[in-house]
Amino acid sequence: LMPLMRYLVGVILPVGTIAAFTLLLVYSFLQLDSVQRAIRIEGTQNMLWVLSRAQSATLRLSEGAARHALGEDNREEVSRRLDIWFSTMEVLRDGPQQRQMESFGFAEALETMMASGPVLEATVMELLAGDRDKVTEVHAILSPLEAGLSRAANQAMIAEWDELGARLDVTRTEMRQIGISLAAIAAAGLVLVIHLMVTARASSGHARLLKQERAFSELLVASSGKGIIAVDTQGCCTLWNEAMRPLFDLHPEQALGRDLRELDGFFDVERVRQALDAALAGESRTIQDQPLFRPEPVRPSWFDIEVFPLRDHSAIIGAILVITDVTER
């Protein structure tokens, strides 16, 4: 259970935190993009400006007709104002503007305005031809159009304010969600930082304990008075303590990294070799009264040998040999 908990805390927690961090960032970016699209104003949908231009063109045409009847404006000025009036009416018939007029409930009024165009043009032409009494008919045609455009402009202003208020409400909600997401991102980052600090502290403590244990083990090995050898799974020497030097007349520098059986024929004796193989297979062995013969004509040395497997968790990574000189016994 404890390894599982350590795995969950050490792996699942930071990975989950980073995943949540990424998702929240993506969500915040999408929300910001949505806000940017919501507050963008399309020029073709600015109905208030279009309607105000149409209303202004209607008033200017009416004024021009009246001034021409009084002899103040020339024909070219009245014709120019008539052309401007037709162009503004055509803008109202464009796709976005026409849809907006229909949404305001002015579809019939727009059709009436466009239908009155030919009659208005003919009446203005008669006025310009010299029939000054036609100015009354021009005013009679333009006055209802100007009033309709005024009502449409008021409706457009109300609709734009309503739309702007709805956009602001949506934007406020999305910004609140973005704020919550950013707070969650900060919380996720804080959790990750705390986890990293705890992990770093635990790693530092673990390294300190390992260092202390290693120093203590080296102290025990050096001060035990017994010869201690460690080998890896290939039989190469990885530890040769100082107590081994007088027993085999070999310094640690001469022994480390070499095959144990090549150091001295003593380790290639069948009993020793079998005990070492058994330790590498996971079994402990004890050899008593194993002689060591020297070429010189002196009495042999006798050793007791204890061989233990060296483990890293469940894996065997070598063997330990503890050698005791029992010659005097």
Side-chain angles (χ1 to χ4, degrees):
L1 183 59
M2 289 303 296
L4 178 61
M5 290 298 296
R6 286 196 297 268
Y7 177 77
L8 291 176
V9 174
V11 178
I12 302 300
L13 179 60
V15 170
T17 302
I18 294 173
F21 189 88
T22 303
L23 290 176
L24 288 171
L25 277 178
V26 172
Y27 174 77
S28 299
F29 173 78
L30 294 177
Q31 289 293 95
L32 286 173
D33 183 66
S34 176
V35 170
Q36 186 271 337
R37 290 197 306 270
I39 63 177
R40 188 175 62 240
I41 299 177
E42 298 290 346
T44 57
Q45 297 179 359
N46 192 348
M47 282 301 297
L48 186 59
W49 180 84
V50 174
L51 288 170
S52 66
R53 297 300 299 172
Q55 186 180 10
S56 175
T58 302
L59 290 174
R60 289 176 61 83
L61 178 59
S62 179
E63 179 190 7
R67 292 172 65 88
H68 180 75
L70 294 174
E72 296 180 5
D73 275 353
N74 54 28
R75 292 169 53 88
E76 289 76 12
E77 179 64 20
V78 177
S79 298
R80 187 180 65 83
R81 295 186 181 190
L82 180 63
D83 292 338
I84 293 174
W85 184 87
F86 273 111
S87 66
T88 55
M89 292 298 107
E90 287 298 326
V91 171
L92 285 176
R93 293 185 62 184
D94 196 13
Q97 285 75 19
Q98 185 176 11
R99 289 193 295 271
Q100 287 287 345
M101 291 291 286
E102 292 174 355
S103 67
F104 296 157
F106 288 94
E108 294 182 3
L110 181 60
E111 291 298 327
T112 301
M113 292 177 191
M114 299 310 301
S116 63
V119 178
L120 176 63
E121 183 178 14
T123 305
V124 171
M125 290 299 103
E126 292 178 7
L127 174 65
L128 296 178
D131 189 356
R132 297 187 177 185
D133 293 335
K134 292 295 182 179
V135 67
T136 305
E137 295 182 21
V138 172
H139 286 304
I141 296 172
L142 293 177
S143 294
L145 300 182
E146 190 276 332
L149 290 171
S150 179
R151 290 193 301 271
N154 292 336
Q155 187 66 29
M157 183 179 67
I158 295 172
E160 287 194 5
W161 277 108
D162 291 341
E163 183 181 356
L164 180 59
R167 286 181 178 179
L168 290 176
D169 290 339
V170 172
T171 302
R172 186 182 302 110
T173 301
E174 291 179 345
M175 292 301 293
R176 186 181 299 114
Q177 293 174 353
I178 292 173
I180 295 174
S181 299
L182 293 177
I185 290 173
L190 180 62
V191 170
L192 188 59
V193 169
I194 292 175
H195 178 269
L196 291 176
M197 291 177 61
V198 171
T199 303
R201 180 174 297 180
S203 299
S204 177
H206 186 61
R208 185 169 57 254
L209 289 176
L210 288 177
K211 186 176 181 180
Q212 292 175 352
E213 290 177 359
R214 180 178 179 181
F216 182 68
S217 299
E218 291 176 350
L219 179 62
L220 288 178
V221 169
S223 62
S224 63
K226 296 184 178 181
I228 299 178
I229 305 172
V231 296
D232 59 17
T233 55
Q234 304 301 319
C236 293
C237 180
T238 58
L239 174 65
W240 185 279
N241 73 341
E242 288 294 330
M244 288 293 299
R245 183 166 56 179
L247 299 180
F248 290 87
D249 196 23
L250 285 173
H251 294 276
E253 293 78 7
Q254 296 174 296
L256 292 177
R258 296 178 59 187
D259 191 320
L260 196 63
R261 288 169 296 184
E262 295 178 357
L263 291 175
D264 196 290
F266 174 84
F267 298 106
D268 202 23
V269 176
E270 184 176 359
R271 292 177 67 193
V272 179
R273 187 171 61 251
Q274 289 179 350
L276 185 58
D277 292 340
L280 293 176
E283 299 180 13
S284 299
R285 293 291 178 89
T286 300
I287 302 174
Q288 293 183 337
D289 301 334
Q290 176 65 35
L292 170 61
F293 297 95
R294 294 299 184 186
E296 296 83 1
V298 296
R299 63 176 184 168
S301 299
W302 298 81
F303 301 118
D304 284 349
I305 307 173
E306 297 174 282
V307 189
F308 308 98
L310 183 60
R311 302 178 184 273
D312 181 10
H313 298 292
S314 60
I316 297 175
I317 60 173
I320 294 288
L321 293 83
V322 180
I323 301 177
T324 307
D325 188 349
V326 294
T327 302
E328 294 301 326
R329 185 188 69 191

